[in-house]
Amino acid sequence: MALIFPRWTNWIPLLLAAAGAAGAIVVPTAVWYYFSPEYTDVGYTPVQPIAYSHRLHAGELGIDCRYCHDTADRAAKASIPPTDTCMNCHRTIQSKSEKLALVRESDATGKAIPWVRVHMLPDYAYFDHSAHLAAGVGCVTCHGRIDEMEVVRQEKPLSMSWCLDCHRNPAPNLRPPPMVTAMAWNAMDAGYDPHKDPARRRFPTPPTYCSGCHR
Ligand code: HEC
Ligand code: HEC
Ligand code: HEC
Ligand code: HEC
Ligand code: HEC
């Protein structure tokens, strides 16, 4: 006779009893922890269709982040560069390289390179790059040392509590807005105090009310 319930379900009454005995705290805590983005997303490093290296381009060659992510400081999305941006250089640099075959194919056919998304908030959460960059939050604060990554990985949880930790006390994470893409910059070495920056016309007040991020 076919089993209607898999054999492991025999353990459920025992598990429930154990959970009851251990207090109602353990199970919700475990569920909350294992399903929170801190557990599921940090370290996510998908394989990309091309061996494009930030360590080489943004690190060694020192190309500014906004050369490629050129909408970051004026729009919500930071944008992934079109093939044309790569071809600006690779029409002449390494123009025969095997590693760039897919870039040339994309240029010839007009079909976009299928880059795999790394960071992704759920639709019900609203995020805007330009507001953060204008206030002087650096890329490195939310994305880590991208200029040292061969392949991009997610460094921060992007969870609600992570957003709120900064929104409640943004001061330690602020820098002069012109320094937002400077990966090695830090406030302590620079002796920077955002409260005393004469270039700031107002001190940032990030939203902590629900509709600020759930619109
Ligand atoms: C020469 C172009 C170029 C430059 C310069 C560049 N990037 Fe990128 N970036 C890309 C491409 C292409 C991708 C998509 C493929 C990938 O994830 O590696 C990408 C992906 C990313 C992602 C992941 C996006 C996602 O899918 O979630 C982040 C974050 C990022 N870049 C940040 C930066 C930062 C910060 C800098 C400056 C230190 C920078 N990039 C400089 C081309 C560039
Ligand atoms: C305050 C935190 C924060 C800062 C500062 C920040 N990012 Fe992001 N970035 C995010 C989040 C969160 C996402 C995911 C957004 C989503 O899914 O809607 C993201 C996504 C991206 C993506 C994927 C495309 C997109 O817009 O969804 C790229 C590329 C990127 N960031 C590059 C950058 C660069 C370059 C800088 C600096 C110029 C930067 N980011 C600064 C938090 C930040
Ligand atoms: C500002 C110029 C510039 C831009 C823009 C640029 N690259 Fe590069 N890229 C270089 C240089 C310089 C090298 C190193 C060439 C060498 O080692 O001889 C390189 C090397 C590479 C390599 C390694 C090639 C090999 O055979 O070793 C890949 C892959 C690559 N780039 C992909 C990309 C992609 C994808 C883009 C667009 C997102 C891009 N590059 C945009 C300048 C650029
Ligand atoms: C490291 C600090 C930091 C982190 C992390 C951070 N923010 Fe912010 N956020 C700010 C600052 C600073 C501002 C600008 C407030 C101002 O200009 O008054 C801001 C502004 C905003 C705004 C208002 C934008 C507007 O157009 O009104 C939204 C929405 C927002 N953040 C969402 C998020 C979300 C969602 C996350 C997490 C995924 C996040 N933030 C993570 C510091 C941060
Ligand atoms: C600073 C931005 C921000 C504010 C303010 C904010 N949230 Fe969120 N919230 C987020 C983000 C980002 C996520 C998605 C996190 C993830 O990927 O799971 C989220 C997720 C959620 C979820 C989905 C369940 C979960 O925990 O993942 C609920 C419910 C929620 N928020 C309710 C609220 C309520 C209620 C408030 C007001 C008290 C609030 N949020 C304020 C950014 C914010």
Side-chain angles (χ1 to χ4, degrees):
M1 210 183 93
L3 282 171
I4 294 170
F5 296 102
R7 209 176 288 281
W8 66 265
T9 53
N10 292 343
W11 290 95
I12 286 179
L14 199 64
L15 281 173
L16 287 177
I25 308 221
V26 179
V27 171
T29 305
V31 168
W32 172 79
Y33 179 74
Y34 286 106
F35 290 96
S36 75
E38 222 146 334
Y39 182 78
T40 50
D41 297 348
V42 171
Y44 179 55
T45 318
V47 177
Q48 299 291 344
I50 294 165
Y52 168 77
S53 165
H54 278 82
R55 188 194 56 69
L56 171 66
H57 292 83
E60 249 171 76
L61 298 173
I63 308 173
D64 190 87
C65 313
R66 286 166 297 190
Y67 178 85
C68 290
H69 303 293
D70 62 350
T71 61
D73 48 17
R74 49 193 164 84
K77 294 273 166 205
S79 78
I80 299 297
T83 301
D84 227 31
T85 307
C86 312
M87 291 305 279
N88 284 345
C89 291
H90 289 294
R91 226 165 248 123
T92 46
I93 298 167
Q94 291 277 14
S95 64
K96 303 251 155 31
S97 165
E98 250 325 288
K99 292 186 185 162
L100 285 153
L102 194 57
V103 179
R104 291 191 297 272
E105 191 188 310
S106 161
D107 184 51
T109 61
K111 267 177 63 188
I113 298 165
W115 300 113
V116 184
R117 191 72 202 234
V118 185
H119 305 78
M120 181 107 79
L121 290 178
D123 287 341
Y124 57 78
Y126 174 77
F127 180 80
D128 184 319
H129 275 90
S130 66
H132 290 87
L133 298 178
V137 184
C139 315
V140 68
T141 304
C142 301
H143 293 299
R145 288 299 297 265
I146 295 273
D147 62 324
E148 292 174 351
M149 296 180 195
E150 205 61 57
V151 182
V152 178
R153 70 176 174 274
Q154 183 171 323
E155 286 278 293
K156 304 288 174 180
L158 311 189
S159 59
M160 181 161 130
S161 58
W162 174 75
C163 311
L164 283 169
D165 279 348
C166 179
H167 278 208
R168 290 194 184 108
N169 179 25
N173 292 304
L174 298 178
R175 54 177 71 202
M179 304 306 280
V180 286
T181 60
M183 302 303 278
W185 189 96
N186 78 67
M188 214 189 338
D189 293 350
Y192 180 70
D193 179 351
H195 293 284
K196 297 194 179 123
D197 182 347
R200 283 185 186 278
R201 265 167 277 126
R202 65 173 186 91
F203 199 77
T205 50
T208 52
Y209 48 90
C210 316
S211 64
C213 303
H214 304 292
R215 302 186 168 184

